[in-house]
C-alpha cells in the first residue's frame, strides 16, 4: 500500500471541494503532490476533478518515463471532455496506479486516496515544491480558485 | 467579435484531425483567432474515439481492402465514419478568457444549440440528448465532443449527417451483427437520422454549411470572416500531422480499460443466440 489516505486535516470551503493539508497543489493544473518515502504521489484535486466530470479513461506514461513540471504525463476522457494530465513535478515515473487505469471511477470515488495516478521520483523536490501551494497559502488560494472556476463555468 | 471561418472539402484523416487540434492549441495561446471550421473528409475515414481500440471498434481488414482511412480523434466517444456527405463542424475558442466561458456543460449546450439552429433552416427540430448526441425524434443526427488543449484552448466538434451509407458503415464499424442484410441495415437506419432522409430532399453539403455558418454567427453573436489558414497555421498543422496523426503509435494506441463491448454466441435448438454487452 503506497497511499496513506488518512486525511484528518482538510480545508473544506465547499463541502464538495476538499483540499487535504498534508500535500501540495499545482495552482495552474489542479493536481496534488504528496511527498512520501521514495517519491511524490500525484493525483487530481477536487476542483480539477469537478471540472472534468466522471472519468471514463485514464492513460499515464509508463514507469521509467521522464516528466517535466507543467507538461503532460498522461491523458484522460471524462464526461465533459478529453484532455491532458499535467505533472506538478519534474522527475521519473516510478509506478503507475494500474488500478486507476483499469477502473478510472476510483479517481472520482477517492481522488486523494486510492485514486492517485502515479508515483514520481522527483528531480528537485526542494526547489519545485516551493512553487506548489501549501500550508498558509491554501485557504486564500482555494477560495480564489473556487470562485474562478465557478465564474468561468467549470464548476457550479 | 470576429471569428475566422475556414471551409475545406475532402481533407485526409490526418490533416482533418491535426487541423482541429492545432487550432485549439493556437487559439488557446492567442496565436490564432477563434475559428469555425466547416469541412468534409474524403471518402472515407473511420475515426475512433480518443481512448477506443481500433481493433475492437473497426473491421480493419475491410478498411485496408477498401481504402477506408483509420485514425483516432482527440475527442471522446464512439467510432464514426466521415466522408463527403458528413459535415465536420469544429469550433475552437480560447479557454482562459472569462467572457467566453459558461459552465462546461452549458458551453456544450450552446454549441449544440448552434447546430440545432442550423438544422431548423431545413425544418428539422433536434435536441441535445444523452451524453453528447443531437437527436431528431430519438434518432441521432450528430455526435458532439469537447477537447481541452494544454494551452487552455477548447475544441468543440460535431459530425453532422447530411447523408450516410449505412451498408458501408456496418462493414466498417464492428457492430454486434453477424451479417449485413436489409434487416440489419433497417435496424441501424431506425436509430440514426440524416438531413436528406428527414427532408426527402437532396440538399448539398454546401447548402448545409451555409446554414450552419449563419446559425453559429447568430447563436454566438459574432461576425464570421471567411479565410484560409495562414502559413504559420498550415506549418503547425503539417507538423502535428507528421508527429502524431500519421503515426501508428497514435492511431493504434491501446488502453488498459476493459472493452465496453463483449459478446458470446450459443447454438440452441431454436437457432443461434448471441448476447452482446
Amino acid at each position: 500500500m503506497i497511499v496513506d489516505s488518512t486525511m484528518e486535516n482538510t480545508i473544506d470551503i465547499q463541502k464538495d471541494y476538499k483540499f487535504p493539508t498534508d500535500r501540495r497543489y499545482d495552482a495552474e493544473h489542479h493536481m496534488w503532490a504528496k511527498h512520501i518515502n521514495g517519491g511524490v504521489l500525484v493525483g487530481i484535486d477536487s476542483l480539477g476533478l469537478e471540472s472534468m466530470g466522471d472519468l471514463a479513461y485514464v492513460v499515464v506514461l509508463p514507469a521509467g518515463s521522464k516528466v517535466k513540471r507543467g507538461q503532460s504525463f498522461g491523458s484522460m476522457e471524462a464526461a465533459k471532455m478529453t484532455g491532458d494530465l499535467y505533472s506538478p513535478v519534474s522527475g521519473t515515473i516510478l509506478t503507475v496506479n494500474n488500478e486507476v487505469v483499469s477502473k478510472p471511477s476510483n479517481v472520482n470515488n477517492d481522488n486523494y486516496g486510492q485514486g492517485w495516478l502515479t508515483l514520481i521520483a522527483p528531480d528537485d523536490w526542494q526547489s519545485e515544491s516551493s512553487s506548489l501551494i501549501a500550508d498558509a497559502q491554501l485557504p486564500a488560494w482555494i477560495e480564489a480558485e473556487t470562485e474562478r472556476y465557478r465564474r468561468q463555468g467549470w464548476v457550479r | 467579435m470576429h471569428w475566422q471561418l475556414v471551409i475545406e472539402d475532402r481533407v485526409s484523416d490526418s490533416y482533418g484531425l491535426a487541423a482541429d487540434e492545432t487550432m485549439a492549441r493556437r487559439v488557446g495561446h492567442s496565436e490564432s483567432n477563434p475559428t469555425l471550421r466547416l469541412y468534409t473528409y474524403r471518402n472515407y475515414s473511420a475515426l475512433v474515439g480518443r481512448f477506443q481500440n481500433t481493433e475492437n471498434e473497426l473491421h480493419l481488414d475491410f478498411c485496408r481492402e477498401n481504402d477506408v482511412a483509420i485514425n483516432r480523434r482527440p475527442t471522446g466517444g464512439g467510432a464514426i465514419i466521415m466522408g463527403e456527405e458528413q459535415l465536420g463542424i469544429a469550433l475552437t475558442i480560447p479557454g482562459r478568457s472569462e467572457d467566453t466561458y459558461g459552465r462546461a456543460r452549458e458551453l456544450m449546450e450552446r454549441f449544440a444549440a448552434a447546430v440545432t439552429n442550423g438544422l431548423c433552416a431545413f425544418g428539422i427540430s433536434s435536441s441535445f440528448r444523452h451524453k453528447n448526441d443531437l437527436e431528431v425524434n430519438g434518432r441521432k443526427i450528430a455526435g458532439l465532443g469537447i477537447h481541452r488543449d494544454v494551452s487552455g484552448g477548447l475544441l468543440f466538434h460535431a459530425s453532422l449527417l447530411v447523408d450516410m451509407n449505412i451498408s458501408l458503415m456496418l462493414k466498417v464499424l464492428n457492430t454486434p451483427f453477424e451479417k449485413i442484410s436489409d434487416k440489419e441495415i433497417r435496424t441501424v437506419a431506425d436509430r440514426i437520422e440524416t438531413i436528406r432522409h428527414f427532408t426527402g430532399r437532396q440538399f448539398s453539403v454546401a447548402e448545409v454549411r451555409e446554414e450552419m455558418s449563419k446559425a453559429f454567427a447568430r447563436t454566438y453573436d459574432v461576425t464570421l470572416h471567411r479565410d484560409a489558414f495562414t502559413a504559420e497555421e498550415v506549418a503547425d498543422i503539417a507538423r502535428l500531422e507528421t508527429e502524431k496523426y500519421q503515426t501508428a503509435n497514435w492511431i493504434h494506441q491501446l488502453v488498459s480499460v476493459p472493452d465496453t463491448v463483449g459478446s458470446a454466441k450459443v447454438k440452441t435448438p431454436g437457432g443461434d443466440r448471441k448476447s452482446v454487452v
Side-chain angles (χ1 to χ4, degrees):
Chain A
M1 176 70 73
I2 294 174
V3 176
D4 168 13
S5 61
T6 57
M7 292 171 291
E8 292 180 0
N9 298 311
T10 63
I11 294 175
D12 193 4
I13 291 252
Q14 281 272 317
K15 67 174 185 178
D16 292 328
Y17 306 137
K18 293 182 187 300
F19 287 81
T21 55
D22 62 351
R23 60 200 75 197
R24 292 173 175 269
Y25 297 87
D26 182 324
E28 187 172 1
H29 299 299
H30 282 273
M31 307 296 294
W32 57 259
K34 182 178 179 182
H35 194 255
I36 61 171
N37 289 338
V40 175
L41 278 176
V42 171
I44 307 170
D45 78 26
S46 293
L47 270 177
L49 194 58
E50 176 66 15
S51 74
M52 296 173 183
D54 290 344
L55 290 179
Y57 295 97
V58 172
V59 171
V60 178
L61 291 176
S65 302
K66 293 280 188 187
V67 295
K68 291 203 172 218
R69 173 168 156 70
Q71 294 189 1
S72 174
F73 70 91
S75 50
M76 60 82 201
E77 178 176 338
K80 295 177 182 175
M81 68 195 68
T82 60
D84 285 288
L85 299 164
Y86 305 103
S87 181
V89 294
S90 304
T92 304
I93 291 182
L94 294 173
T95 310
V96 173
N97 185 353
N98 287 318
E99 289 186 21
V100 159
V101 173
S102 58
K103 194 178 177 190
S105 59
N106 283 356
V107 179
N108 290 91
N109 294 334
D110 187 14
N111 60 314
Y112 293 119
Q114 298 305 310
W116 62 278
L117 299 172
T118 189
L119 178 68
I120 296 174
D123 288 341
D124 188 358
W125 171 253
Q126 194 164 8
S127 167
E128 288 190 335
S129 64
S130 63
S131 308
L132 302 173
I133 305 292
D135 304 325
Q137 300 169 299
L138 262 180
W141 175 72
I142 296 168
E143 189 168 350
E145 282 296 277
T146 304
E147 175 56 28
R148 183 173 75 91
Y149 263 52
R150 193 169 284 132
R151 200 171 58 238
Q152 294 182 340
W154 294 112
V155 300
R156 292 183 185 278
Chain B
M1 191 187 297
H2 300 285
W3 284 3
Q4 177 175 229
L5 172 65
V6 174
I7 290 176
E8 296 178 304
D9 276 311
R10 293 177 288 282
V11 302
S12 70
D13 54 304
S14 55
Y15 173 87
L17 296 165
D20 285 347
E21 185 177 337
T22 297
M23 292 311 293
R25 184 156 304 175
R26 289 185 59 91
V27 170
H29 283 308
S30 301
E31 295 169 347
S32 292
N33 291 323
T35 300
L36 176 66
R37 180 166 170 250
L38 302 173
Y39 66 108
T40 61
Y41 287 85
R42 67 178 62 134
N43 285 343
Y44 285 95
S45 293
L47 307 178
V48 298
R50 171 66 185 84
F51 289 98
Q52 291 188 304
N53 290 336
T54 51
E55 283 194 9
N56 294 346
E57 304 300 329
L58 305 175
H59 289 130
L60 296 180
D61 288 342
F62 178 88
C63 292
R64 291 187 191 107
E65 289 161 8
N66 292 276
D67 291 329
V68 175
I70 297 165
N71 219 311
R72 175 181 305 281
R73 306 190 305 272
T75 51
I80 58 173
I81 296 181
M82 295 295 281
E84 294 168 18
E85 292 170 334
Q86 293 78 47
L87 183 64
I89 303 173
L91 173 64
T92 43
I93 56 176
R96 296 201 184 274
S97 171
E98 292 176 14
D99 62 357
T100 63
Y101 272 121
R103 298 180 196 286
R105 198 66 191 168
E106 288 170 5
L107 278 175
M108 179 60 116
E109 286 172 5
R110 191 175 189 190
F111 178 72
V115 181
T116 295
N117 291 340
L119 287 172
C120 284
F122 301 95
I124 299 174
S125 175
S126 61
S127 54
F128 187 38
R129 297 290 300 277
H130 302 306
K131 191 174 157 189
N132 290 321
D133 290 343
L134 265 190
E135 291 185 358
V136 180
N137 299 330
R139 295 174 168 183
K140 180 174 176 176
I141 196 166
L144 315 178
I146 310 179
H147 170 68
R148 182 162 58 171
D149 184 72
V150 61
S151 65
L154 296 170
L155 163 66
F156 296 84
H157 192 277
S159 48
L160 176 62
L161 303 182
V162 179
D163 210 337
M164 175 54 78
N165 181 338
I166 293 172
S167 172
L168 178 84
M169 187 178 106
L170 289 176
K171 290 171 184 162
V172 170
L173 303 184
N174 193 3
T175 64
F177 300 121
E178 278 291 293
K179 56 184 181 177
I180 301 170
S181 66
D182 288 348
K183 180 183 170 190
E184 279 71 38
I185 291 172
R186 278 196 304 276
T187 300
V188 174
D190 285 344
R191 295 177 191 165
I192 67 171
E193 188 57 276
T194 71
I195 292 174
R196 287 180 187 160
H197 176 264
F198 184 89
T199 61
R201 296 177 60 185
Q202 294 296 305
F203 287 110
S204 68
V205 169
E207 288 172 292
V208 175
R209 182 156 42 204
E210 176 67 20
E211 294 302 332
M212 283 296 150
S213 63
K214 289 181 195 168
F216 270 79
R218 279 198 312 274
T219 306
Y220 285 89
D221 193 23
V222 295
T223 305
L224 295 171
H225 289 283
R226 183 164 176 184
D227 214 339
F229 287 133
T230 65
E232 278 188 359
E233 290 165 347
V234 168
D236 280 357
I237 292 167
R239 191 176 307 117
L240 188 63
E241 199 181 352
T242 304
E243 293 175 355
K244 183 171 182 178
Y245 288 103
Q246 289 179 340
T247 67
N249 277 350
W250 170 257
I251 296 169
H252 296 291
Q253 182 183 79
L254 296 174
V255 294
S256 302
V257 177
D259 294 343
T260 54
V261 177
S263 65
K265 191 164 69 175
V266 177
K267 285 188 180 298
T268 73
D272 289 348
R273 289 282 178 186
K274 185 173 185 181
S275 298
V276 179
V277 293

